[in-house]
């Protein structure tokens, strides 16, 4: 149970982040729904949490913007006085083969997926250190473990998230803060719906459990890592991928 906890979920307007926000609210947390551009969708997430009897607020912030993240986290602390759980879920893809990848597409993906994760850890961990408790969960990817043709930018950002997770886990452990990563496989969301049927068929062949992942699969893992029961787990990468990374 997450009763009384304040949980910040970045990129919670859609997909995996939305499922995590809804799950945390069901478990009793007050959820801060972060989004970048999808204001209407963030509002829908908030309304469905409230309709279920949960608590949620919305905060817009582009996690790639260092100063905006400082203001965002400060607003949360001013409003609630603490942050118990931070889920760095916001992420984007801009796929392309190496020869065609622009510097801009490389930088944008790293800025959101990797630097965005650093920015939120940077500001939230200060508060968690004062509390001497906290849970940080970073969204990596199976691609950050195995690599993927056409995703040199995304794979680098997600492998970076793993290094960041382990480093932050070592640095923050003495203050009672755990830091773990989840490495989803192929999860059905807007991010993967754009892929061609051919790519989907090829991916299916690489999933031993023989089905695509659902957002609820990731939300369940996040709920466990955020729970009191996971208090002795830190610096780990939990693959939730139907066996893809084996
Ligand atoms: P999605 O459906 O495309 O949703 C992405 C979310 O991130 C949206 O809520 C979006 O908000 C938010 N976002 C994007 N850029 C942002 C920014 N600069 N600042 C703040 N929020 C931002 O993606 P998803 O499939 O749920 O993926 C969620 C996470 O899981 C990502 O980190 C992704 O890399 C990772 N992941 C996904 C899969 C998969 O198969 N789907 C597999 C492995 C890892 P707005 O709409 O408001 O912009």
């Amino acid at each position: 149970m997450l009763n009384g906890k304040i949980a910040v979920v970045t990129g919670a307007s859609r997909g995996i982040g939305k499922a995590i926000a809804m799950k945390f609210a069901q478990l009793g947390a007050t959820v801060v729904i972060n989004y970048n551009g999808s204001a209407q969708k963030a509002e829908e997430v908030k309304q469905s949490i409230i309709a279920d009897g949960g608590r949620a607020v919305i905060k817009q912030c582009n996690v790639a913007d260092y100063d905006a993240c400082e203001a965002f986290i400060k607003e949360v602390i001013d409003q609630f006085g603490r942050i118990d759980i931070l889920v760095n879920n916001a992420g984007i893809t801009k796929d392309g083969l190496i020869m065609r990848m622009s510097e801009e597409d490389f930088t944008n993906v790293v800025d959101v997926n990797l630097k965005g994760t650093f920015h939120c850890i940077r500001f939230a961990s200060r508060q968690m250190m004062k509390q001497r408790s906290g849970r940080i969960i970073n969204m990596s990817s199976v691609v950050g473990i195995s690599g993927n043709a056409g995703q040199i930018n995304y794979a680098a950002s997600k492998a970076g998230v793993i290094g960041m997770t382990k480093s932050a886990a070592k640095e923050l452990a003495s203050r009672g803060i755990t830091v773990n990563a989840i490495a989803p496989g192929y999860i059905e969301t807007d991010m993967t719906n754009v892929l061609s049927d051919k790519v989907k068929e090829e991916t299916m062949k690489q999933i031993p459990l023989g089905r695509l992942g659902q957002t609820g699969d990731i939300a369940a893992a996040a709920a466990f890592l955020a729970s009191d029961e996971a208090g002795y787990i830190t610096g780990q990468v939990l693959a939730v991928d139907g066996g893809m990374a084996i």
Side-chain angles (χ1 to χ4, degrees):
M1 294 299 272
L2 302 176
N3 278 329
K5 307 272 190 204
I6 306 298
V8 174
V9 184
T10 69
S13 52
R14 298 183 283 119
I16 291 170
K18 173 182 175 179
I20 293 172
M22 310 263 299
K23 179 86 178 175
F24 282 13
Q26 279 161 15
L27 292 171
T30 297
V31 180
V32 178
I33 300 163
N34 160 257
Y35 75 98
N36 184 29
S38 306
Q40 182 56 38
K41 292 201 178 291
E43 185 60 34
E44 286 165 19
V45 177
K46 179 182 161 186
Q47 290 310 328
S48 56
I49 286 174
I50 289 169
D52 283 352
R55 284 176 297 275
V57 297
I58 299 174
K59 305 267 180 221
Q60 192 281 337
C61 172
N62 174 4
V63 297
D65 182 332
Y66 183 87
D67 294 335
C69 284
E70 181 169 27
F72 159 48
I73 297 295
K74 183 177 182 304
E75 248 185 60
V76 175
I77 295 163
D78 287 348
Q79 189 168 352
F80 297 106
R82 56 187 298 113
I83 298 177
D84 299 296
I85 304 159
L86 167 66
V87 182
N88 286 304
N89 167 78
I92 59 168
T93 50
K94 285 183 190 280
D95 298 349
L97 297 172
I98 295 166
M99 289 306 138
R100 292 197 206 123
M101 170 101 27
S102 67
E103 185 188 5
E104 192 187 7
D105 282 353
F106 189 92
T107 305
N108 284 347
V109 167
V110 171
D111 281 354
V112 175
N113 299 3
L114 185 59
K115 281 181 72 186
T117 299
F118 161 65
H119 296 157
C120 293
I121 291 175
R122 166 80 171 79
F123 298 112
S125 63
R126 188 163 54 191
Q127 173 62 29
M128 289 176 173
M129 283 197 274
K130 280 190 207 153
Q131 297 166 193
R132 301 193 77 79
S133 71
R135 291 271 192 280
I136 298 173
I137 300 164
N138 300 322
M139 211 51 71
S140 180
S141 168
V142 63
V143 166
I145 298 169
S146 310
N148 196 21
Q151 291 198 304
I152 193 167
N153 50 356
Y154 184 78
S157 73
K158 293 300 184 180
V161 165
I162 292 174
M164 199 176 270
T165 299
K166 293 181 180 180
S167 302
K170 285 186 171 173
E171 194 169 322
L172 301 174
S174 64
R175 309 297 186 100
I177 302 164
T178 68
V179 189
N180 292 289
I182 296 174
Y186 187 114
I187 311 300
E188 284 193 289
T189 67
D190 295 344
M191 186 177 273
T192 46
N193 286 343
V194 296
L195 298 172
S196 68
D197 287 344
K198 187 166 173 280
V199 171
K200 287 181 189 170
E201 277 166 30
E202 286 305 312
T203 308
M204 272 294 282
K205 290 181 196 157
Q206 297 166 35
I207 306 174
L209 283 178
R211 69 167 174 89
L212 301 178
Q214 301 302 314
T215 57
D217 294 318
I218 308 302
F224 169 63
L225 289 173
S227 72
D228 289 344
E229 285 80 1
Y232 202 55
I233 301 172
T234 198
Q236 300 305 302
V237 183
L238 179 55
V240 183
D241 64 356
M244 259 182 109
I246 297 170

